[in-house]
Amino acid sequence: MVLSHRYRFIFIKTKKTAGTSIEVFLSEICADDDVLTPIRPRVAPHRPRNYAGSFNPLPELIATRGRSIFSTFKELRHRRRYYNHIPALKVRARVPRSVWNGYFKFCVERNPWDKTLSHYHWARHERAGALTFDEYLTTGRFCVNHPRYTDPSGRTIVDRVLRYERLNEDLGETFEALGIPFCGDLGVRAKARPVRGDYRRAYTDAQRELIARRFAEEIRLHGYTF
């Protein structure tokens, strides 16, 4: 997550959507009083700051309809006011109302079949290559991102969801509107691992349908197709 008072924006970080690369880029234009949550492992020149502290849990419990009670009080106990991949709903409850209403909120989303294959390669790397695609799919641990930028009713609560498939173009438009200097490319690919070829060739019909079911809400929200 990145919150910039200088440029008046909040970046909500989703999974497998170049979020770390975006955070590293934004870290270089952020001021000392801005908020940057930690990245692990650390990626230079990113410098986390102003993310720890207490907060009032009541607005959050109301916003999540009590579903976050355990995570909310655990984070309060450990003074984790902001953290990596924090959902927009919690950010909205923890920042001043004037900041949420007055700042531009954005995140990035990705075609679920492409995103799933990328996440599989990450998980396979974590297990030193000892993981087949079928084994990964049976775990059910997918990068379902929409809860990070919607409310419990399914309404998108950020101002813009950028598309990974046209990331530089969407970032260019967003940064221009915010007054952030941008040359058309982030210039960094943190945590990137190459995925060769067309993602569609990696799927059987049954696997394709499984992803369609698990990511039905993201497909509905953004019109993604296989």
Side-chain angles (χ1 to χ4, degrees):
M1 173 204 162
V2 180
L3 189 161
S4 172
H5 298 295
R6 172 183 288 179
Y7 291 100
R8 298 174 63 86
F9 72 79
I10 301 173
F11 171 63
I12 302 296
K13 186 179 181 182
T14 51
K15 290 189 174 183
K16 304 312 296 177
T17 57
T20 297
S21 296
I22 295 170
E23 285 181 318
V24 172
F25 174 86
L26 291 173
S27 70
E28 298 197 79
I29 58 93
C30 282
D32 287 342
D33 63 341
D34 292 340
V35 176
L36 288 92
T37 56
I39 297 172
R40 294 185 178 86
R42 185 179 180 275
V43 181
H46 181 275
R47 179 174 62 85
R49 51 194 180 269
N50 306 316
Y51 59 88
S54 61
F55 56 90
N56 178 7
L58 186 58
E60 187 166 315
L61 296 176
I62 294 172
T64 61
R65 301 173 183 173
R67 296 172 187 168
S68 71
I69 185 168
F70 294 110
S71 65
T72 297
F73 280 105
K74 180 179 179 180
E75 289 154 15
L76 181 62
R77 184 169 66 252
H78 293 284
R79 294 179 57 81
R80 295 181 71 219
R81 183 173 185 178
Y82 308 114
Y83 54 88
N84 198 25
H85 296 299
I86 182 173
L89 195 66
K90 289 193 172 190
V91 176
R92 185 175 70 178
R94 296 181 188 186
V95 299
R97 182 175 299 179
S98 60
V99 169
W100 182 263
N101 291 337
Y103 288 21
F104 184 81
K105 289 83 62 181
F106 69 101
C107 66
V108 182
E109 190 53 280
R110 184 176 185 176
N111 180 296
W113 291 275
D114 185 31
K115 179 172 58 174
T116 297
L117 188 61
S118 176
H119 190 239
Y120 159 66
H121 281 281
W122 173 84
R124 185 172 180 267
H125 174 81
E126 291 291 296
R127 297 193 187 185
L131 182 69
T132 69
F133 193 37
D134 273 328
E135 289 170 341
Y136 163 81
L137 292 174
T138 61
T139 68
R141 297 174 183 173
F142 302 134
C143 285
V144 178
N145 281 327
H146 71 85
R148 302 181 191 280
Y149 54 83
T150 60
D151 65 14
S153 67
R155 183 176 63 92
T156 298
I157 60 173
V158 296
D159 297 304
R160 183 171 182 181
V161 180
L162 282 59
R163 296 296 187 100
Y164 180 87
E165 295 76 23
R166 53 174 189 251
L167 184 60
N168 286 334
E169 292 84 352
D170 283 6
L171 284 174
E173 294 172 3
T174 299
F175 290 166
E176 182 179 13
L178 292 169
I180 297 172
F182 184 62
C183 67
D185 188 273
L186 290 170
V188 58
R189 287 184 59 80
K191 299 184 180 179
R193 297 182 181 89
V195 179
R196 296 181 178 87
D198 186 340
Y199 69 85
R200 290 170 292 190
R201 301 181 66 179
Y203 286 88
T204 65
D205 289 343
Q207 292 168 342
R208 169 183 170 177
E209 291 304 314
L210 171 64
I211 299 306
R213 293 193 300 271
R214 294 302 299 270
F215 289 86
E217 184 64 12
E218 290 174 14
I219 292 169
R220 182 191 69 81
L221 285 169
H222 307 294
Y224 279 118
T225 63
F226 184 70

